């Protein structure tokens, strides 16, 4: 039995815009003045940078489960500031490739998460 790939459509323009917005917010936030938050923001920016760069370059080729990649406490608790959470949650939605939550959760992209192809190749 052949498994049919899940259909998706990535909005590269919007992915790029949201990734830029999140990156810029993390880089220029007034919350960076607090040492603990600055350290956490810098760590999260470093962690997300390859994905953000890929989205900004409009190079993401398939959906990606961003919620499984980022610790839920980061943007849901410690960095729960609108300038971060708004573009972050929009990016999470956009990375689902237009699928409903149920379709995305039942897809191979969620069930067998892996880094985007370009990032897997870069780490080889």
């Amino acid at each position: 039995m052949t498994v049919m790939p899940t259909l998706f459509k990535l909005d590269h323009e919007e992915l790029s815009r949201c990734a830029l917005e999140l990156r810029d917010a993390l880089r220029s936030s007034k919350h960076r003045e607090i040492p603990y938050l600055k350290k956490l923001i810098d760590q999260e920016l470093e962690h997300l940078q390859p994905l953000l760069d890929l989205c900004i370059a409009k190079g993401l080729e398939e959906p990606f489960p961003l919620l499984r990649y980022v610790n839920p406490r980061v943007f849901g608790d410690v960095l729960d500031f609108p300038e971060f959470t708004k573009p972050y949650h929009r990016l999470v939605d956009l990375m689902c490739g237009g699928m409903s939550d149920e379709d995305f959760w039942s897809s191979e992209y969620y069930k067998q998460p892996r880094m985007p192809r370009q990032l897997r190749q870069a780490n080889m």
Side-chain angles (χ1 to χ4, degrees):
M1 180 177 177
T2 304
V3 176
M4 296 295 292
T6 306
L7 298 177
F8 63 87
K9 181 170 180 0
L10 294 168
D11 183 341
H12 290 102
E13 293 298 322
E14 191 64 12
L15 277 164
S16 179
R17 190 193 67 71
C18 283
L20 271 168
E21 184 179 344
L22 180 57
R23 185 188 70 186
D24 291 348
L26 290 167
R27 285 181 174 172
S28 64
S29 172
K30 66 180 186 254
H31 303 292
R32 297 178 70 79
E33 297 169 13
I34 303 167
Y36 168 74
L37 290 179
K38 181 185 183 326
K39 182 179 178 184
L40 186 59
I41 290 168
D42 287 345
Q43 287 173 346
E44 202 53 39
L45 185 57
E46 182 179 342
H47 180 69
L48 287 171
Q49 193 64 51
L51 282 169
L52 296 176
D53 288 346
L54 189 59
C55 289
I56 291 166
K58 302 175 186 170
L60 188 66
E61 297 175 348
E62 58 189 16
F64 181 74
L66 188 59
L67 278 177
R68 294 183 80 173
Y69 184 69
V70 176
N71 182 330
R73 290 200 57 214
V74 172
F75 291 103
D77 185 12
V78 184
L79 296 179
D80 187 11
F81 303 108
E83 66 267 26
F84 302 148
T85 58
K86 184 178 176 187
Y88 170 75
H89 288 294
R90 180 74 178 128
L91 205 54
V92 166
D93 290 341
L94 289 165
M95 285 188 169
C96 291
M99 290 183 263
S100 68
D101 290 342
E102 293 78 17
D103 287 343
F104 184 65
W105 295 332
S106 65
S107 76
E108 64 272 21
Y109 306 109
Y110 186 82
K111 287 181 177 180
Q112 299 169 358
R114 59 185 185 191
M115 292 301 290
R117 180 187 53 80
Q118 299 94 322
L119 300 179
R120 290 192 311 265
Q121 290 175 345
N123 289 329
M124 291 182 165

